[in-house]
Amino acid sequence: MSLAAASVPRMPRGVRLQEDRVRGGWVLLAPERAIALDAVGLAIISRIDGARDFGAIVADLSETYGAPEAEIARDSGEFIAALAERRILEIMV
Amino acid sequence: MTARPPIAMLAELTHRCPLSCPYCSNPVELARKESELSTAEWAGVFRQAAELGVLQLHLSGGEPASRRDLVELVEAAREAGLYTNLITSGIGLTERRLMALDAAGLDHIQLSLQGTDAETADRIGGYRSGFERKMAVAAWIGKIGFPLTLNFVMHRQNMHQLPRALEMAEEMGARRIEVATVQFHGWAMLNRGALMPSLEQAREAGRIVREARERLKGRLVIDYVPADYHAKYPKPCMGGWGSTGLNVTPDGIVLPCHAAQTIPSLSFETVREKTLGEIWENSSAFNAFRGTDWMAEPCRSCDRKEADFGGCRCQAMALAGDATATDPVCIKSPLHGKIHAMAQDWAAEEGAELTWRTGPERVLEGQS
Ligand code: SF4
Ligand code: SF4
């Protein structure tokens, strides 16, 4: 599933991004869930601020990592949609 | 055996509770108020937990709201950097107290539901007007905006209310609902004749959950613990014994699981004597069933052993009289057929009386 460029993902209350000082890396903490993020996941999540729309996030990622926008839109769209289905992210349209 | 750091800790702040659910997961021998860890002791345990690698803290009981210092404890947990979840019946929480918990940084609330109407809920919880209070608490939780999980503990006497419980979760704006069939340890074991669901009920519940998951996708997350007595394979033991979580009792005993004290061969240590890290890594109780080396046949050569870890150690103790045995719920256990037949018998017991939980001391309204 791909997200519309104008939709705005956000982290709802009760979900936090936190550094894991013991194991290293970053984790997304949510009700009954602790999700260890890899570098790609962290790059996506750390760009979600509840204000930037998906199009802007994709453009930023594409510029930072020098990868084509279409590819980034597909991968990060799936990642965000899967988290939204588990109610760990919200998507405002 | 080297231990990976734990992810979650369940802190049983107190065994006191205004309710007296007949399936309470607390041990039948309850810790008394005088022996409970102090505010400072708990704060120290929370810091040690965070240093050890714990990310998620569940404040539980008994009823955690029966602790007068609940707000301070939440503050201490957040200061330690823990994701803090309150597991509560709602009794003892007022709107003001919830606002104070909000200011203290509480991340999430898990509200238990004994039944979907006052008559059922108050009878099962053994507490009059508890349901009404709970509904008021749910409304305040929504108003403040806490993320909410509704926790429906299901058994023969309320399983038919599952569809309504799902509706209530939606009405309350919950993000998640846990639909957990009663686990038969401790108090619940005393009540198995009154609580054991029938095979048909268990199947029907499974069907309702599957259908609701589809229908409510993206709106409500449903975590489901089916009735394992009626299953072919046992439930996995929380990611493996001594591998992801630990439990601290009101008086500071550190357990690999909430029911571990039912295994008489294990001995436990307390946070008053040792640090959490020492206990996690070195205590014999944590090492007893870590990994898969302790297993006997049929688990030892089974390809599911990394998936369910041989099932529940406490259930093996209770049903096979041997904590190292294959969980008798498993189809490969020599006891499987007998257990299934027993479960059918318990489920068919008519008019079995409930034994409500009692002690350590009843907490009356307004005391907390
Ligand atoms: S034999 Fe043991 S490991 Fe295999 S399914 Fe049964 S309980 Fe699990
Ligand atoms: S031993 Fe049984 S009760 Fe304890 S954590 Fe494992 S499955 Fe749960």
Side-chain angles (χ1 to χ4, degrees):
Chain A
M1 166 180 162
S2 176
L3 287 184
S7 56
V8 179
R10 71 162 182 195
M11 223 182 274
R13 178 171 173 173
V15 180
R16 280 213 306 274
L17 180 62
Q18 189 168 303
E19 193 172 2
D20 187 337
R21 281 167 301 161
V22 173
R23 295 168 197 80
W26 289 76
V27 278
L28 200 56
L29 298 177
E32 303 288 329
R33 298 283 183 274
I35 301 167
L37 296 172
D38 60 13
V40 178
L42 179 62
I44 299 168
I45 294 292
S46 57
R47 283 170 174 76
I48 292 176
D49 59 7
R52 277 203 275 184
D53 65 25
F54 183 60
I57 292 171
V58 169
D60 181 356
L61 286 167
S62 157
E63 200 183 306
T64 312
Y65 297 96
E69 284 205 15
E71 195 181 298
I72 292 210
R74 191 194 57 221
D75 293 351
S76 57
E78 275 172 11
F79 179 76
I80 292 170
L83 288 173
E85 192 169 291
R86 295 160 70 192
R87 305 255 2 221
I88 292 170
L89 291 178
E90 283 173 1
I91 300 169
M92 294 171 295
V93 275
Chain B
M1 164 135 323
T2 48
R4 278 177 294 156
I7 292 165
M9 180 168 90
L10 187 95
E12 291 174 359
L13 297 179
T14 178
H15 279 160
R16 289 173 289 143
C17 183
L19 270 59
S20 42
C21 303
Y23 47 74
C24 182
S25 65
N26 288 163
V28 179
E29 285 291 327
L30 296 166
R32 301 191 61 83
K33 183 178 180 190
E34 307 77 68
S35 64
E36 288 176 10
L37 297 182
S38 67
T39 317
E41 283 176 308
W42 275 119
V45 173
F46 298 161
R47 281 193 299 272
Q48 289 178 18
E51 278 163 28
L52 185 58
V54 168
L55 298 169
Q56 299 232 351
L57 174 67
H58 305 288
L59 299 175
S60 169
E63 172 50 60
S66 297
R67 288 277 305 213
R68 281 165 202 265
D69 56 357
L70 180 62
V71 173
E72 288 165 83
L73 292 171
V74 169
E75 267 166 18
R78 285 304 313 268
E79 230 160 75
L82 298 168
Y83 187 95
T84 308
N85 172 32
L86 179 68
I87 302 177
T88 179
S89 68
I91 310 302
L93 293 174
T94 57
E95 186 171 16
R96 262 181 67 187
R97 223 166 163 212
L98 282 161
M99 283 162 67
L101 288 168
D102 183 26
L106 181 65
D107 287 293
H108 175 246
I109 295 180
Q110 201 169 312
L111 187 66
S112 64
L113 188 69
Q114 286 72 26
T116 58
D117 58 61
E119 198 274 319
T120 312
D122 293 351
R123 182 173 59 82
I124 291 167
Y127 187 75
R128 200 181 317 164
S129 66
F131 184 77
E132 205 182 310
R133 290 296 305 273
K134 191 190 297 287
M135 292 305 110
V137 170
W140 295 324
I141 289 171
K143 194 167 144 200
I144 295 171
F146 283 114
L148 172 69
T149 293
L150 197 62
N151 186 355
F152 184 48
V153 183
M154 213 164 53
H155 43 77
R156 186 161 92 235
Q157 308 209 6
N158 68 2
M159 245 176 174
H160 61 285
Q161 298 186 331
L162 175 57
R164 178 67 194 131
L166 291 162
E167 273 171 24
M168 285 174 73
E170 276 209 284
E171 287 163 14
M172 288 176 187
R175 281 184 212 166
R176 301 174 62 253
I177 183 169
E178 281 186 18
V179 177
T181 312
V182 158
Q183 301 297 306
F184 291 92
H185 304 296
W187 295 95
M189 203 59 174
L190 300 176
N191 284 302
R192 55 203 182 183
L195 296 178
M196 182 68 68
S198 70
L199 184 58
E200 295 69 40
Q201 270 187 316
R203 284 200 182 128
E204 174 67 1
R207 194 194 58 74
I208 292 170
V209 167
R210 275 194 301 282
E211 185 273 326
R213 274 189 177 145
E214 200 48 48
R215 181 167 45 91
L216 301 171
K217 210 178 211 170
R219 277 193 289 159
L220 184 69
V221 177
I222 306 174
D223 276 358
Y224 177 45
V225 181
D228 65 352
Y229 274 60
H230 297 302
K232 279 202 187 91
Y233 295 110
K235 287 184 298 96
C237 165
M238 47 189 253
W241 183 276
S243 101
T244 60
L246 71 171
N247 216 27
V248 183
T249 68
D251 46 354
I253 303 170
V254 188
L255 305 174
C257 110
H258 67 273
Q261 283 165 307
T262 59
I263 302 178
S265 60
L266 299 181
S267 61
F268 304 100
E269 291 161 307
T270 88
V271 294
R272 285 179 167 140
E273 304 151 358
K274 287 195 173 157
T275 67
L276 217 50
E278 284 174 301
I279 298 173
W280 174 257
E281 269 154 43
N282 304 325
S283 103
S284 59
F286 277 87
N287 284 320
F289 307 117
R290 248 187 196 133
T292 53
D293 288 350
W294 57 270
M295 288 179 181
E297 295 297 350
C299 292
R300 179 172 279 276
S301 51
C302 177
D303 59 6
R304 289 179 55 92
K305 70 178 176 189
E306 304 277 356
D308 66 23
F309 313 98
C312 175
R313 294 306 89 227
C314 304
Q315 197 147 275
M317 185 69 229
L319 299 177
D322 174 6
T324 65
T326 294
D327 187 332
V329 155
C330 180
I331 195 156
K332 295 189 183 176
S333 161
L335 294 171
H336 175 82
K338 195 171 145 212
I339 297 302
H340 263 226
M342 272 159 66
Q344 309 276 19
D345 287 350
W346 292 329
E349 250 177 64
E350 267 173 50
E353 298 270 326
L354 284 176
T355 304
W356 280 271
R357 184 194 120 146
T358 49
E361 56 270 299
R362 292 282 290 216
V363 197
L364 299 173
E365 196 94 13
Q367 257 186 2
S368 51

